[in-house]
Amino acid sequence: MTRTASIARATSETDIRLTLALDGTGKVEVATGVGFFDHMLTALARHSLMDLTVAARGDLHIDDHHTVEDVGIVLGQALRQALGDKRGIRRFGQCLLPMDEALAEAAIDISGRPFLAWSVPFQRPKIGTFDTELVEEFFRAFAFNAGITLHVTLKAGTNAHHVAEACFKAVARALRMALETDPRMANEIPSTKGSLEG
Ligand SMILES: [Mn+2]
C-alpha cells in the first residue's frame, strides 16, 4: 500500500496542485510565488522525509495570506488522505529543535482530532516581505485539515527567520516520527478506541 496523495484545489483566490508521498526521501519541488514560504516548505519536506511537490498560483497582489493558508489546507488534506485508516503508525511524535539561538518544540498526535496550540512569539512582523503571523495561519490550516493535534512552543529565539525555520523543522521531525510505521503494531490502529477517524 503506497501512502500517497495528489490534490488539485482551485478557488477565486488560489489554484493549487500538490502531491505528497509519506514514505519518501525528502524530494521537494515547490513553487508558490512566495520565496520564504518555499524555503519553509522545502525544510518541512526534507526533514520529514516526505516527497512533496507544490505548484500554487495565488492572489499575491493582495498579500501572501490566501496562498499560504490554502497550501496549508491542501497539504493537510493530502496528509489525511495519504494516511488512510492510520494502521501501523506510531501516531505520536515530538521534537525539540535548535537553530542557533532559536529553540522550537513540536508535539504531534495523529489523532483525527484537529487542534493547534501555538505559542510562538515573533519579535518582528516581517521576514523580508513575508508576514510572520502567516506561520501560525499555515500550521492551523494544516492541523485542522489533516485532523491532527499539533503543539508548537518556542523555548527561545529572537531572529524571526530562525524562529520560523526552527518551527518548520521541529514539526517536520515530529511528523516523521509520528508517520513512521511501528513494526510491533504492523496491522493495528494505534487507538484503544479502534479508530483514529476523529
Ligand atoms: Mn533559512
Side-chain angles (χ1 to χ4, degrees), residues 36 40 95-97 101-107 116-127 130-140 150-171:
F36 183 75
M40 294 299 100
C95 177
L96 184 61
L97 191 130
E101 92 297 345
L103 183 63
E105 182 182 69
L116 177 71
W118 183 259
S119 181
V120 180
F122 280 97
Q123 294 184 13
R124 276 195 292 147
K126 294 270 194 189
I127 300 165
F130 185 84
D131 294 316
T132 51
E133 66 184 15
L134 294 182
V135 179
E136 179 178 0
E137 293 306 307
F138 169 80
F139 281 117
R140 179 174 296 105
L150 175 61
H151 287 244
V152 185
T153 308
L154 188 73
K155 303 291 194 182
T158 49
N159 180 284
H161 187 125
H162 291 163
V163 167
E165 193 163 336
C167 289
F168 273 87
K169 286 177 173 169
V171 171

Side-chain angles (χ1 to χ4, degrees), residues 17-106:
R17 259 157 300 170
L18 183 148
T19 66
L20 182 69
L22 304 190
D23 304 296
T25 55
K27 199 149 35 100
V28 194
E29 206 178 306
V30 293
T32 66
V34 182
F36 183 75
F37 187 42
D38 286 353
H39 181 41
M40 294 299 100
L41 290 173
T42 300
L44 184 65
R46 282 276 155 76
H47 294 285
S48 63
L49 296 182
M50 299 191 298
D51 292 341
L52 175 68
T53 69
V54 182
R57 266 183 302 122
D59 52 4
L60 300 180
H61 60 283
I62 297 175
D63 66 5
D64 300 343
H65 193 118
H66 299 141
T67 301
V68 171
E69 182 177 17
D70 290 3
V71 169
I73 290 171
V74 177
L75 182 61
Q77 290 172 342
L79 185 79
R80 183 172 209 141
Q81 196 176 306
L83 273 167
D85 67 3
K86 308 184 178 82
R87 213 169 277 276
I89 62 167
R90 293 195 190 278
R91 178 179 167 182
F92 298 99
Q94 89 277 328
C95 177
L96 184 61
L97 191 130
M99 182 169 177
D100 297 351
E101 92 297 345
L103 183 63
E105 182 182 69

